[in-house]
Amino acid sequence: MKEIAAGSGLAMIIFMAIIGFNVTPVLLLLALAAAFYLFAQSQGGIKFMQGGESIKLDAGISFADIGGQQTAIQELKEALQFIVKAEEIVKMGIRPLKGVLLVGPPGTGKTLLARAAATLTSSVFLSASGSEFVEMYAGVGAKRVRQLFRDARKKAAGQKARSAIIFIDELEVLGACRGTHNSHMEYDQTLNQLLVEMDGIEGNHDPRILVIAATNRADMLDPALVRPGRFDRQVQVGLPDRVGRRQILDIHTRNKPIANPDVLDEIAQATFGFSGAHLESLANEAAILALREDATAIENRHFSEAINKVILGEKLERKPSDEEINRVAVHESGHAIVSEMLNTGSVSALTIVPRGQALGFMRKSPKDDQYLYTREELEQQIMVALGGAIAEEIKFGNRSTGAAGDFDQAWQTARQIVEAGLSGLGIVKGGHIPEKLMFEECQQIISAIEEQTRDLLNSYMDVLYSLTEAILEEESIDRERFQELVSGALI
Ligand code: ATP
């Protein structure tokens, strides 16, 4: 629209100039208007004050729509009693709660929690992101903070709500320790303004304002923000465990036809480390894949492919050469056989369809969520990582660059062994091992494991080759097919 108006205006001016009209005053006027518009934009005025994109007013989400965050929900609900039982709180002389800080990795449901809090307390909900307050011009961020609090009061009054919840995402952008930013004056002014506004919140009359902020870097925040009286409640919003992942999958498949609902248990088990946002995307991708095939319900294979897509990205259009595909098949088979040999049933899927950065992929299926590892378990992880390159070596007599990522992973795990005091060096203080010593110890660990992996794969060469042939023919192999192919051979 803007472009059409600009184009027509320009055409009009040219036309006027051609017919001999003096266009200088028009041009001057236009230049003045443009300068005024740019100035207003830079002050954040026009867009922000209109309450346009930056401030969203809605809730409609309840705590029942959030899976796998029982502890966080419990803690948040307790904090919300300050709004729900506001009169009692005042009578008891309790200082009102002004801020709650939600701390956790991206996509775990922090925004959802804030919105559900607004629903539970029938509050007006306003949200803004830390980065929206950051401007090159001094004073703009502070002005925006003031405006946000003013809007909250105004909207609560307008909607006759007794309370308002202001949600600030990415708090670390505006709330980092003062003096740490390059253009620190502007950042500091913005943060100071937030502190001033929070201090100005009064708990004994309407509308009651609660600031809920989210961050994944609580360690970066200015101490003044997290001191009692400001954000003095911190709620941890972590990655969901297996039961939580199942709940989230249930929530996001409520409206989707699933051929075999029991498959959700398997998916929950196979998705250790996934956030709620990953799981939502997984459910969505599976439905898209089913639709593409004109299926009436989402089948297990759609979910399996969706997991690969969420982990690795879209399938690549570019097709590797036959020689490369051959090598990738051997490489992935190597990973899979070592993994299955060490832990029966640990291979969940195997594919040579290129996706994202990977030309092939072997997905393990963890038996259960695991947070602690013994040295043996870590060594087994290194063996699986090295299995690909060693299989290439056995089949082709040489390795390729395809194993660089595996070596990185193997090296990291070896480092973990040393830093956790599980290596021959005994108990060490993580950061205080000289690099040379660390290097030598990791190299020693890895070369010993490399030998073991080679011995192991040499004794299963037949199954390595037959698996390679199967995967070259079928491209992707799921857990059942894999078991069929290797059962009997790996006893
Ligand atoms: P960020 O830190 O990146 O802003 P966030 O923690 O605020 O992320 P949300 O925006 O709340 O994450 O979640 C993004 C989407 O992921 C949600 O809209 C929802 O579809 C899904 N999701 C995330 N966590 C959960 C959960 N615990 N239960 C259900 N759905 C979830």
Side-chain angles (χ1 to χ4, degrees):
M1 206 44 209
K2 265 191 223 161
E3 287 77 6
I4 295 174
S8 327
L10 192 66
M12 179 74 97
I13 292 172
I14 294 172
F15 176 71
M16 283 158 72
I18 290 172
I19 61 170
F21 194 85
N22 180 10
V23 291
T24 319
V26 181
L27 288 176
L28 270 173
L29 267 175
L30 278 176
L32 263 172
F36 174 73
Y37 177 77
L38 287 175
F39 177 73
Q41 280 274 328
S42 74
Q43 294 295 300
I46 290 185
K47 201 165 66 178
F48 203 79
M49 285 184 210
Q50 282 168 349
E53 305 143 325
S54 307
I55 299 180
K56 291 163 222 103
L57 237 186
D58 93 309
I61 290 274
S62 82
F63 284 115
D65 299 315
I66 305 173
Q69 296 295 355
Q70 286 332 308
T71 319
I73 291 177
Q74 196 53 40
E75 285 180 32
L76 186 57
K77 275 186 175 168
E78 273 169 32
L80 292 175
Q81 293 307 310
F82 281 81
I83 293 187
V84 178
K85 296 188 176 160
E87 273 82 25
E88 287 95 315
I89 298 285
V90 173
K91 270 190 211 141
M92 293 298 285
I94 298 172
R95 170 170 59 76
L97 182 74
K98 297 178 178 177
V100 178
L101 188 60
L102 305 178
V103 184
T108 42
K110 297 182 291 297
T111 311
L112 291 183
L113 285 166
R115 292 174 66 188
T119 309
L120 184 82
T121 53
S122 310
S123 301
V124 165
F125 181 74
L126 287 94
S127 87
S129 169
S131 47
E132 289 170 30
F133 297 95
V134 176
E135 275 290 342
M136 269 157 41
Y137 305 103
V140 177
K143 189 170 154 199
R144 289 179 174 179
V145 171
R146 263 197 311 276
Q147 183 71 41
L148 183 58
F149 279 77
R150 207 178 299 149
D151 275 355
R153 292 193 175 90
K154 214 159 69 190
K155 286 194 169 120
Q159 297 187 14
K160 303 204 177 358
R162 299 201 60 193
S163 49
I165 287 183
I166 296 178
F167 176 63
I168 304 180
D169 205 358
E170 300 180 284
L171 181 68
E172 71 281 0
V173 179
L174 85 99
C177 286
R178 278 169 284 191
T180 50
H181 287 287
N182 284 343
S183 56
H184 58 89
M185 278 306 285
E186 163 59 0
Y187 280 89
D188 294 356
Q189 274 187 29
T190 311
L191 173 56
N192 285 339
Q193 189 61 43
L194 178 63
L195 300 176
V196 168
E197 292 294 341
M198 289 188 77
D199 288 346
I201 295 176
E202 288 169 25
N204 47 6
H205 59 76
D206 293 348
R208 290 173 168 81
I209 292 186
L210 177 70
V211 184
I212 300 184
T215 182
N216 50 14
R217 292 298 311 271
D219 56 309
M220 275 176 64
L221 296 180
D222 195 285
L225 261 181
V226 284
R227 77 141 169 79
R230 291 190 183 127
F231 287 107
D232 51 355
R233 283 281 195 291
Q234 279 203 21
V235 175
Q236 297 295 327
V237 189
L239 288 171
D241 60 12
R242 188 165 55 80
V243 178
R245 294 196 294 275
R246 171 69 212 243
Q247 285 170 3
I248 298 174
L249 284 166
D250 279 335
I251 290 171
H252 290 293
T253 51
R254 275 196 297 226
N255 57 353
K256 298 180 175 66
I258 298 177
N260 164 26
D262 288 343
V263 74
L264 295 183
D265 269 334
E266 268 176 50
I267 301 170
Q269 184 155 19
T271 46
F272 178 71
F274 274 42
S275 67
H278 283 126
L279 295 168
E280 187 274 335
S281 163
L282 190 162
N284 202 42
E285 290 300 338
I288 292 173
L289 291 170
L291 182 75
R292 256 187 223 158
E293 287 183 12
D294 281 332
T296 48
I298 308 173
E299 304 281 346
N300 296 10
R301 64 174 188 286
H302 300 132
F303 280 115
S304 183
E305 194 169 345
I307 298 182
N308 291 346
K309 189 166 172 193
V310 173
I311 298 177
L312 299 168
E314 268 294 351
K315 279 183 192 169
L316 285 187
E317 288 305 320
R318 176 176 66 87
K319 196 173 179 308
S321 68
D322 287 350
E323 206 178 305
E324 282 171 327
I325 294 179
N326 220 342
R327 195 178 271 277
V328 174
V330 171
H331 184 105
E332 298 308 327
S333 302
H335 284 312
I337 287 172
V338 175
S339 176
E340 185 68 14
M341 265 303 297
L342 299 171
N343 284 301
T344 314
S346 59
V347 175
S348 174
L350 202 58
T351 180
I352 51 166
V353 178
R355 265 179 196 286
Q357 298 294 311
L359 291 179
F361 183 55
M362 191 273 292
R363 182 152 48 80
K364 288 203 275 181
S365 83
K367 283 210 172 59
D368 230 324
D369 293 4
Q370 194 170 352
Y371 303 94
L372 296 173
Y373 297 89
T374 62
R375 172 161 179 161
E376 287 66 36
E377 286 165 331
L378 293 173
E379 284 184 346
Q380 290 184 356
Q381 286 182 10
I382 299 180
M383 283 181 85
V384 176
L386 299 183
I390 293 173
E392 282 185 52
E393 221 177 79
I394 292 174
K395 171 79 181 167
F396 305 107
N398 59 17
R399 300 172 184 168
S400 68
T401 52
D406 298 335
F407 294 160
D408 250 9
Q409 204 186 322
W411 200 264
Q412 296 246 356
T413 313
R415 252 191 116 94
Q416 206 179 342
I417 291 178
V418 178
E419 284 173 354
L422 302 174
S423 74
L425 294 180
I427 298 173
V428 291
K429 186 161 187 292
H432 288 81
I433 310 166
E435 247 337 282
K436 186 165 176 287
L437 190 59
M438 173 65 96
F439 179 83
E440 282 165 4
E441 190 60 24
C442 289
Q443 200 174 41
Q444 203 180 329
I445 293 174
I446 288 179
S447 40
I449 296 176
E450 190 183 343
E451 272 319 299
Q452 289 174 33
T453 315
R454 190 168 290 112
D455 291 348
L456 192 140
L457 274 176
N458 269 327
S459 48
Y460 288 100
M461 244 154 58
D462 291 349
V463 67
L464 174 71
Y465 293 156
S466 61
L467 182 62
T468 304
E469 267 169 43
I471 193 171
L472 280 171
E473 208 170 294
E474 299 168 35
E475 289 195 345
S476 294
I477 286 178
D478 65 13
R479 183 209 302 265
E480 286 74 33
R481 180 73 181 122
F482 179 76
Q483 288 300 330
E484 223 175 270
L485 286 165
V486 301
S487 65
L490 303 178
I491 300 167

